[in-house]
Amino acid sequence: MGDEDGRIRKQEADYTEEVAAALPVATALAEAGQLQDAIDSLLPLEKKARIALDSSSTSSVLEHVIKMCYMQQDWTCMCESMLMFIKRRGQMKIPIRNMVQAAWKYTQELTDKDTMLKMIDTLRTITAGKIHVEIERARITSKLAQIKEEDGNIAEAADVLQELQVETYGSMDKREKVEIILEQMRLVLAKRDFIRAQIICKKIGVKYFEEESTHDLKIKYYNQMLELAFHDSRYLDVCKYYRAIYDTPRIQEKEAEAFQAFENAVLYLVLAPFDSEQSDMIARVREDPAMEKQELSRAVLDVFTEAQVLPWSEFEELFKDRLQATEVFTATEDGAKRYETLKDRFMEHNIRTMASYYSKMHTSRLAQLLDLPEETAERYLSNLVSSKTVFAKIDRPAKMIVFERKQDTTEVLNDWASGLGKLMQLVDKATHLIQKERMVHQV
């Protein structure tokens, strides 16, 4: 059947027997060194089968031509023959797909890079814009990107692979789609195009990784997401990605890897800026049974959750050496940067603790408790006020910090009305009890 111009047409004749008789003759000619004559001998039969919409016979002819070219190792003739067949009027989709599949099978056996690139270029030309060979085009393009990467052309490899919109391919297997998208992510990350990587990563739904057969892709996905989050210093997201890796069964089977993933998740959680989500996650992580094995992480987390002010020097004395031995705070430029961020989070925690206990205090007292110069202590406080984590106003001439928010008229009236309502309830209750006692005594 055919669907040329949107019309469904039935097969008009069957040339299976004629094709079966002609193929051995063409093979003999090709083996005798007359490849072009062998191809020419099959062209009239191909035309008759194509016009009669005999898809099976047309496929057999096209595939046999490709096979003869392969047997004679005449790749130029193979390319020319494919381009010729694709331009034939009324050419059917199934024969073209079978021809492309056969040619790609033979192309993968090539060891000469120049010949392979020529074949890939021809196959990409044939498959361009054709939905019925979109899967084949995706596989061919992936191989081209691999070759370019091996040659050191990372940017070109990424650009070539980005041409594929595999998320729209309905006939492609889900796993193969995810593999190609992950390869797209890896290449754009390799060329430091983080904006493009952020767009590509949204093409994969994490629910796909719930099946056990996809866990290898899950680990690969989250490792790439970690690289993306590290670039933007999104430590809360880093924590989530490490937790996802830790929750993977194949990781939990390896005790050392599971321990490392959970430790990283906790330490990056501490590095995340304070907000309601971070606070909620800390509470859930502390209740996780895995915390029992995490001596260092549990101790650090306790410091950041207890409502007490601890000098930075004392914290360093307790944890500095052990923290710098971890993967998070290694002796590298990034490790040193994260350690400075840890100090910032520590100071912010101390200021939040003070704000919960003090209504006002001198800037000198704040600096003394933080063990910092007044200017630095004020900078930390200003950052917390700007992010609306704490409320504070600074009276510079008096060097006084006020943590208590002044109530406006409406809030004062609401508090007064609430207090008056409670008072009247108590009066009514007392009156009722007195009346009850009188009635009891009268009886």
Side-chain angles (χ1 to χ4, degrees), residues 7-74:
R7 296 172 297 174
I8 299 177
R9 298 166 56 194
K10 294 183 179 180
Q11 180 176 330
E12 298 174 359
D14 186 354
Y15 293 96
T16 304
E17 294 181 2
E18 291 186 36
V19 169
L23 295 185
V25 176
T27 302
L29 286 173
E31 291 176 349
Q34 301 176 35
L35 178 60
Q36 191 58 52
D37 292 339
I39 295 174
D40 291 342
S41 68
L42 293 176
L43 294 182
L45 187 56
E46 182 273 335
K47 181 178 180 180
K48 286 168 42 177
R50 172 165 43 84
I51 293 174
L53 300 179
D54 186 353
S55 176
S56 176
S57 298
T58 307
S59 294
S60 298
V61 172
L62 267 57
E63 290 180 58
H64 194 73
V65 169
I66 299 301
K67 183 178 180 181
M68 289 191 300
C69 293
Y70 169 71
M71 296 302 293
Q72 302 303 315
Q73 292 294 294
D74 193 338

Side-chain angles (χ1 to χ4, degrees), residues 88-104:
R88 290 293 179 97
R89 178 178 175 82
Q91 189 61 271
M92 292 170 285
K93 296 177 180 179
I94 294 176
I96 292 299
R97 184 174 69 241
N98 293 341
M99 179 187 71
V100 170
Q101 289 175 348
W104 177 237

Side-chain angles (χ1 to χ4, degrees), residues 354 358 361-371 374:
M354 294 178 206
Y358 289 87
M361 69 189 308
H362 284 283
T363 54
S364 57
R365 177 59 175 162
L366 176 69
Q368 180 186 5
L369 290 173
L370 293 178
D371 194 18
E374 286 190 27

Side-chain angles (χ1 to χ4, degrees), residues 73-89:
Q73 292 294 294
D74 193 338
W75 300 98
T76 301
C77 184
M78 186 185 294
C79 292
E80 292 173 353
S81 299
M82 287 191 294
L83 292 171
M84 174 186 65
F85 287 132
I86 198 71
K87 294 176 182 177
R88 290 293 179 97
R89 178 178 175 82

Side-chain angles (χ1 to χ4, degrees), residues 159-407:
D159 292 341
V160 165
L161 203 58
Q162 282 179 67
E163 295 175 6
L164 302 176
Q165 305 297 325
V166 292
E167 66 276 8
T168 65
Y169 294 1
S171 55
M172 180 177 279
D173 179 67
K174 181 78 171 185
R175 182 181 177 88
E176 190 173 3
K177 284 185 187 180
V178 174
E179 287 175 345
I180 292 176
I181 293 173
L182 288 175
E183 191 65 12
Q184 290 176 337
M185 278 185 65
R186 185 184 67 80
L187 288 173
V188 296
L189 286 172
K191 77 168 191 174
R192 316 299 290 174
D193 188 351
F194 294 100
I195 295 176
R196 180 70 60 182
Q198 189 71 41
I199 295 171
I200 293 174
C201 74
K202 294 178 181 178
K203 296 179 180 180
I204 300 177
V206 294
K207 287 185 177 179
Y208 170 72
F209 300 121
E210 292 177 357
E211 297 180 11
E212 188 175 353
S213 60
T214 65
H215 286 172
D216 57 327
L217 298 180
K218 176 183 178 180
I219 295 171
K220 185 177 181 181
Y221 168 77
Y222 280 112
N223 282 328
Q224 292 181 358
M225 292 301 293
L226 282 170
E227 186 177 349
L228 188 58
F230 280 134
H231 176 260
D232 299 327
S233 298
R234 293 183 283 111
Y235 294 127
L236 188 60
D237 287 340
V238 171
C239 168
K240 292 177 183 177
Y241 300 150
Y242 271 119
R243 278 302 302 269
I245 292 174
Y246 169 77
D247 290 336
T248 307
R250 65 170 56 189
I251 293 296
Q252 293 197 355
E253 291 172 0
K254 304 172 184 177
E255 187 175 350
E257 291 186 21
F259 180 90
Q260 188 65 60
F262 195 85
E263 181 181 70
N264 289 348
V266 175
L267 294 179
Y268 281 111
L269 178 59
V270 171
L271 290 176
F274 177 82
D275 58 18
S276 57
E277 185 179 6
Q278 189 248 15
S279 179
D280 176 68
M281 189 169 289
I282 285 178
R284 286 188 281 113
V285 166
R286 292 190 70 185
E287 296 175 359
D288 196 299
M291 284 297 292
E292 296 178 2
K293 301 178 182 179
Q294 299 281 340
E295 181 183 351
L296 174 61
S297 301
R298 186 173 66 251
V300 172
L301 208 58
D302 287 342
V303 171
F304 281 85
T305 52
E306 293 177 356
Q308 64 176 4
V309 177
L310 186 70
W312 174 247
S313 57
E314 186 175 336
F315 179 86
E316 282 199 306
E317 183 179 345
L318 290 171
F319 300 109
K320 182 177 181 179
D321 293 338
R322 288 193 289 168
L323 285 174
Q324 290 184 340
T326 64
E327 188 178 290
V328 180
F329 303 103
T330 52
T332 61
E333 183 179 349
D334 290 337
K337 179 182 175 182
R338 287 193 282 266
Y339 193 76
E340 286 300 314
T341 302
L342 177 66
K343 181 179 179 181
D344 294 343
R345 299 292 175 260
F346 180 83
M347 297 302 174
E348 291 168 1
H349 166 72
N350 281 345
I351 292 174
R352 290 197 307 272
T353 303
M354 294 178 206
S356 65
Y357 284 107
Y358 289 87
S359 58
K360 60 178 63 176
M361 69 189 308
H362 284 283
T363 54
S364 57
R365 177 59 175 162
L366 176 69
Q368 180 186 5
L369 290 173
L370 293 178
D371 194 18
L372 293 172
E374 286 190 27
E375 295 80 4
T376 308
E378 188 176 318
R379 175 172 60 81
Y380 280 115
L381 178 61
S382 299
N383 290 338
L384 288 176
V385 172
S386 298
S387 62
K388 297 184 179 181
T389 303
V390 300
F391 173 84
K393 288 187 176 180
I394 302 176
D395 184 348
R396 291 189 179 278
K399 292 189 175 183
M400 182 66 71
I401 304 169
V402 179
F403 290 109
E404 192 174 30
R405 185 190 298 271
K406 185 178 180 180
Q407 292 182 320

